[in-house]
Amino acid sequence: RWAVLPKLISAFLYQQVFALAALLYSAYALSHHHVPEFHYRSEAFKQIRFKGTWSSLLFERNAAVALKIENAILLGAAGNLTAIEAMLAQPEDAQKLLQVCQELSSDSERGDAESDSNDGTISEKESLVDTEAAIE
């Protein structure tokens, strides 16, 4: 009676191997996501057109595309525009893309600085840090 059990288990695994692989890949893909470091929802960014193939549209993950754009923007900020130009439908928009990303990042940095500033009061944590520095 127990001799049949290993055969049933192996038959089940053999028949469900693709479903199991799909399940594991889906769990991995859902648990590992990438948050882009550029504001892709801004109106200025939406005006820029990127080129790509149908196969990349269908099979390339959004996170991979975002990483490529981020890398190209970083290279462009360092003066190497070839990666940006290769991604854009109109390579002459490379400077426009860099300008949009710089404006958006400076706006977000200003917003962060404004939200970090307070009305001149010192928090308990800051007070403790200042006290510890004075003791040393």
Side-chain angles (χ1 to χ4, degrees), residues 51-63:
K51 63 181 177 183
T53 62
W54 281 103
S55 64
S56 68
L57 178 68
L58 295 174
F59 299 113
E60 195 169 13
R61 292 182 19 211
N62 290 341

Side-chain angles (χ1 to χ4, degrees), residues 55-96:
S55 64
S56 68
L57 178 68
L58 295 174
F59 299 113
E60 195 169 13
R61 292 182 19 211
N62 290 341
V65 174
L67 281 172
K68 284 181 183 179
I69 294 172
E70 283 179 354
N71 290 335
I73 290 170
L74 287 173
L75 287 171
N80 184 357
L81 297 177
T82 55
I84 293 177
E85 291 170 347
M87 296 181 80
L88 294 174
Q90 297 176 346
E92 59 271 8
D93 285 347
Q95 288 295 335
K96 180 181 174 185

Side-chain angles (χ1 to χ4, degrees), residues 2 7 36 69 125:
W2 293 104
K7 290 181 181 179
I69 294 172
K125 182 179 176 183

Side-chain angles (χ1 to χ4, degrees), residues 1 25 41 49 80 99 117 120-121 123 127 131 136:
R1 171 167 95 161
Y25 175 75
R41 292 185 176 162
R49 297 289 170 235
N80 184 357
Q99 181 181 2
S117 67
T121 60
S123 68
S127 175
T131 306
E136 293 175 356

